[in-house]
Amino acid sequence: MNIRESAENYLETILIIQERKGSVRSIDIANELNFSKPSVSVAMKNLRENGYIIVDDSGFITLTDNGFEIADRMYERHRVISQYFMLLGVAPDTAVKDACRIEHIISIDSFEAIKGEYERLKDLKSERQ
């Protein structure tokens, strides 16, 4: 499935807001990303037309199964990579910014290797405490 990085970011943002608030509207996404409402509106139209989201009559946005799969994958990559970098001593702001870039281009094999190493280091750190 080939999807643009910007679409992945929107889907990930929808998932994050949904987990935090329970429901999502375009204005929530605009506020979260600090984007204009018209830009978000165009993006939501494209995501809807491509089958990644559903927008109900009240303007509430729900991820489709395909949209959720992409959002969940991006969010997992973001969390694991940023936490791994922080575990290595990278400043949190830098770790999060770098993870945002890397999460979109990293291969499955490389991500799984980082994830495995992160889990190993995290467990090792827990044992020492």
Side-chain angles (χ1 to χ4, degrees), residues 3-18:
I3 183 171
R4 297 178 70 128
E5 181 177 329
S6 61
E8 290 174 340
N9 281 331
Y10 277 111
L11 294 171
E12 181 182 7
T13 300
I14 292 167
L15 178 61
I16 291 167
I17 295 169
Q18 185 176 352

Side-chain angles (χ1 to χ4, degrees), residues 89-117:
V90 176
D93 285 351
T94 302
V96 168
K97 287 176 187 172
D98 289 346
C100 280
R101 292 183 194 109
I102 294 168
E103 69 192 38
H104 301 284
I105 59 170
I106 193 168
S107 70
I108 292 170
D109 290 342
S110 293
F111 173 70
E112 289 300 323
I114 287 173
K115 184 177 175 182
E117 184 63 10

Side-chain angles (χ1 to χ4, degrees), residues 10-67:
Y10 277 111
L11 294 171
E12 181 182 7
T13 300
I14 292 167
L15 178 61
I16 291 167
I17 295 169
Q18 185 176 352
E19 287 181 355
R20 188 173 58 228
K21 292 180 62 176
S23 61
V24 183
R25 298 180 83 168
S26 289
I27 188 66
D28 301 317
I29 299 165
N31 291 336
E32 183 81 16
L33 297 174
N34 201 26
F35 289 172
S36 72
K37 289 183 259 184
S39 294
V40 172
S41 179
V42 168
M44 293 307 103
K45 179 179 183 268
N46 290 334
L47 291 175
R48 190 182 74 250
E49 288 175 352
N50 286 295
Y52 296 116
I53 64 169
I54 297 168
V55 181
D56 71 15
D57 294 338
S58 299
F60 290 101
I61 299 165
T62 306
L63 294 166
T64 63
D65 289 343
N66 286 339

Side-chain angles (χ1 to χ4, degrees), residues 73-91:
R73 182 176 64 244
M74 289 300 109
Y75 192 36
E76 178 191 27
R77 288 177 176 198
H78 179 85
R79 287 189 321 266
V80 168
I81 294 168
S82 60
Q83 291 169 358
Y84 176 65
F85 287 163
M86 286 184 265
L87 191 62
L88 294 175
V90 176

